[in-house]
Amino acid sequence: MATTRASRPGPARSRRDDYAESTRKALVDSAVALFTERGYAGTSLDEIARRARVTKGALYHHFEGKQAIFEAAFDAVETDVKGRLETILRGDQPPWDRALDGLREFISSCLDPAYQRIALHEAPVVMGWARWREAEDRYSFGLIKAALGDLIDAGDVVSVPVDITSRLLFGALSSAATEIAGSSEPERVGAEVEQVVIALLEQVRAASRRS
């Protein structure tokens, strides 16, 4: 009788691996909290390590220095926002509803203190504008491009060059995010951004249905 070979399990994680992962997460969580509260210039590595309840040596084991841990904090807040947007944009609703819900979620993210301070205020300065823009592309541009493609396929938007149109939309939303984050009344500006973008999308949708 033929026998089947049992699949080999992958290498087991060691306690050291688990500890290293939990230490790194504690440091990143600490950095996000402190950079949000005090900004990059007002936060020290000693404070990050102390809040994470680890030694400064443990911090240097995971990160070369302050900019490296800032970039990890930036990745953490951007990954969180991207995850929420992906859940919406890959949902079961019609593409139009997904696009509007995604817009509202993006605006809500722009009102979040951690996203505002780290991703919008501090990152362009700490990382440099070119590297920040490249990172924003990596997190956001693909989502915009996919959502636009779905709208075109559904007939909600006229057929347009997807790459350049997505780039223009990305630029507009990036500017909107900056306006929201820089305002003394971010909730009011966020509501106005939502109103304007939806009105423009409705015009494009109406034009598509007339064609």
Side-chain angles (χ1 to χ4, degrees):
M1 181 174 61
T3 59
T4 57
R5 180 180 298 176
S7 60
R8 294 181 178 177
R13 286 177 58 87
S14 67
R15 288 185 179 180
R16 179 176 294 180
D17 291 334
D18 291 337
Y19 178 75
E21 184 177 313
S22 65
T23 299
R24 189 182 191 283
K25 183 180 185 305
L27 285 164
V28 172
D29 289 347
S30 173
V32 168
L34 287 168
F35 288 137
T36 300
E37 179 184 345
R38 304 179 187 180
Y40 184 79
T43 300
S44 71
L45 292 178
D46 287 324
E47 290 172 312
I48 293 172
R50 185 161 55 248
R51 186 185 182 103
R53 297 183 178 181
V54 302
T55 65
K56 196 171 179 180
L59 185 153
Y60 277 115
H61 176 75
H62 291 277
F63 302 101
E64 292 181 356
K66 190 174 176 181
Q67 180 163 341
I69 198 168
F70 175 86
E71 292 186 14
F74 170 84
D75 286 340
V77 296
E78 284 284 8
T79 298
D80 181 57
V81 171
K82 183 181 179 183
R84 294 200 303 272
L85 290 174
E86 283 180 331
T87 298
I88 292 170
L89 295 176
R90 294 176 180 173
D92 296 329
Q93 291 182 294
W96 181 258
D97 295 332
R98 295 201 306 263
L100 295 189
D101 286 347
L103 170 66
R104 295 184 181 106
E105 179 60 40
F106 173 73
I107 291 171
S108 176
S109 297
C110 292
L111 297 172
D112 177 71
Y115 188 76
Q116 271 193 21
R117 188 73 180 261
I118 295 172
L120 300 177
H121 283 304
E122 301 277 0
V125 178
V126 177
M127 298 168 63
W129 192 88
R131 286 192 64 215
W132 170 72
R133 193 69 172 174
E134 179 184 350
E136 289 290 295
D137 266 22
R138 187 170 65 252
Y139 284 109
S140 306
F141 180 69
L143 295 177
I144 293 172
K145 186 176 178 180
L148 177 62
D150 288 344
L151 290 171
I152 293 172
D153 291 342
D156 287 318
V157 172
V158 293
S159 182
V160 291
V162 174
D163 282 340
I164 188 63
T165 306
S166 299
R167 182 63 59 191
L168 293 173
L169 287 171
F170 174 73
L173 290 174
S174 294
S175 295
T178 302
E179 288 295 319
I180 294 169
S183 172
S184 59
E185 300 177 276
E187 292 186 0
R188 176 184 62 79
V189 174
E192 289 177 351
V193 167
E194 179 180 334
Q195 178 185 3
V196 169
V197 174
I198 290 177
L200 292 173
L201 289 174
E202 291 284 4
Q203 290 296 316
V204 173
R205 191 185 196 196
S208 175
R209 292 182 170 183
R210 289 195 300 267
S211 62

